[in-house]
Amino acid sequence: SQQGEEDPQALSIQEGENATMNCSYKTSINNLQWYRQNSGRGLVHLILIRSNEREKHSGRLRVTLDTSKKSSSLLITASRAADTASYFCATAAYNQGGKLIFGQGTELSVKP
Amino acid sequence: DAGVIQSPRHEVTEMGQEVTLRCKPISGHDYLFWYRQTMMRGLELLIYFNNNVPIDDSGMPEDRFSAKMPNASFSTLKIQPSEPRDSAVYFCASSLGRLDSTDTQYFGPGTRLTVL
C-alpha cells in the first residue's frame, strides 16, 4: 500500500500567499523528503527532514515532521507563479532497502 | 555532472513493437530506479538495482517488461511487445543509497512513451 498520502490533491492560491501541503505515512521512517515536479519534467529534490528533527527551513520552504502522528507538512511562503508544480513527499526507512515510497502528490497552482 | 541521462525523450510506436528505454545514472551512484508515471496511477516504482543487481522487481507489471543493468553506467528498460496501456512517462533515477546520506534520488527528464 502507498506509504505517503498527501492532501490536498490540488491547491490554487494567489501569488504572495502561503501554500501548505500535508503528507501522512504509515510506518516508521528514517527520513522524509519533499520533491517538486514541474509539468513535463522529472522530480527535483527540495528538502529532507530526518526522523529526529521536527522542523527544517530552506529559503521559502519550511518542513515540519510529527513522528507521533506520522505526518509532515510543507509550507511555501510568499508563493510565486514559478512555484506552480506538483509536490510529492517520499519516505525512506531502513527496511526499504534503499528505495523511497512516494505519495500521490499535491498539484499547486499559483496565480499571478 | 550532467545528471541522470535518459533516451529517447519521446517514443511513439505501434502496438506489438519492442521498445527500449535507456538510462545513464550519475557517476558514483550505487542505486538505479525505474518509475512509470500516469495520470491514473501516479508514480509507480517498477524495479531498482543496487550495484547493478536487481533488488526488487515487484513493480514490473508483467513479463512483457524487463530491465537490465550490465554495468554501473547504463541500464535499459524493455517492453516487448508493447501495448497502448503502456503509454506513460518513464523515469530513471539514481541515488547514493546510503541512509546516512539520505537516499536522495536524482531523476532524469523522463521518456514519454506513446503506444498506438
Side-chain angles (χ1 to χ4, degrees):
Chain A
S1 62
Q2 194 70 35
Q3 170 79 308
E5 295 185 5
E6 295 164 71
D7 81 275
Q9 289 190 324
L11 179 62
S12 182
I13 60 175
Q14 294 294 131
E15 214 167 22
E17 294 180 340
N18 295 341
T20 300
M21 289 159 270
N22 302 296
C23 169
S24 61
Y25 57 91
K26 295 178 179 151
T27 61
S28 296
I29 62 171
N30 181 61
N31 65 71
L32 185 144
Q33 306 178 30
W34 286 90
Y35 289 75
R36 182 187 72 222
Q37 183 180 32
N38 290 91
S39 181
R41 304 286 185 92
L43 280 70
V44 175
H45 180 258
L46 291 176
I47 191 167
L48 175 144
I49 187 164
R50 298 178 191 272
S51 60
N52 61 355
E53 297 176 314
R54 293 296 167 258
E55 188 170 311
K56 202 157 183 182
H57 297 254
S58 176
R60 294 184 296 112
L61 304 180
R62 173 178 168 249
V63 170
T64 61
L65 179 65
D66 187 334
T67 53
S68 66
K69 295 181 179 178
K70 292 186 168 59
S71 67
S72 173
S73 66
L74 171 68
L75 168 68
I76 304 174
T77 60
S79 63
R80 305 166 181 168
D83 295 328
T84 295
S86 292
Y87 292 82
F88 295 84
C89 67
T91 55
Y94 287 108
N95 63 357
Q96 285 172 198
K99 68 181 181 184
L100 296 176
I101 307 295
F102 283 87
Q104 294 297 320
T106 292
E107 193 172 324
L108 173 66
S109 175
V110 182
K111 301 187 185 309
Chain B
D1 200 317
V4 176
I5 298 172
Q6 290 187 248
S7 66
R9 293 293 310 277
H10 301 273
E11 177 82 23
V12 180
T13 190
E14 292 188 347
M15 184 173 63
Q17 296 297 306
E18 177 179 294
V19 174
T20 300
L21 311 181
R22 297 173 176 80
C23 175
K24 176 178 168 54
I26 293 173
S27 178
H29 280 192
D30 295 330
Y31 283 78
L32 183 139
F33 305 83
W34 282 101
Y35 293 90
R36 177 173 69 176
Q37 187 177 39
T38 61
M39 290 292 291
M40 291 297 294
R41 301 174 68 92
L43 189 68
E44 302 173 274
L45 176 65
L46 300 177
I47 185 172
Y48 75 102
F49 296 82
N50 178 24
N51 293 321
N52 314 337
V53 176
I55 301 301
D56 183 353
D57 65 354
S58 61
M60 296 285 261
E62 47 199 275
D63 292 346
R64 298 185 297 107
F65 286 69
S66 63
K68 294 182 180 178
M69 192 164 186
N71 57 62
S73 59
F74 183 66
S75 177
T76 59
L77 178 68
K78 187 174 291 187
I79 308 172
Q80 166 63 18
S82 58
E83 297 182 3
R85 61 193 167 120
D86 302 330
S87 297
V89 181
Y90 291 80
F91 289 104
C92 176
S94 69
S95 75
L96 283 169
R98 298 192 302 268
L99 278 173
D100 61 353
S101 71
T102 74
D103 292 319
T104 297
Q105 292 187 12
Y106 297 82
F107 282 73
T111 295
R112 183 174 294 277
L113 173 65
T114 302
V115 183
L116 303 174

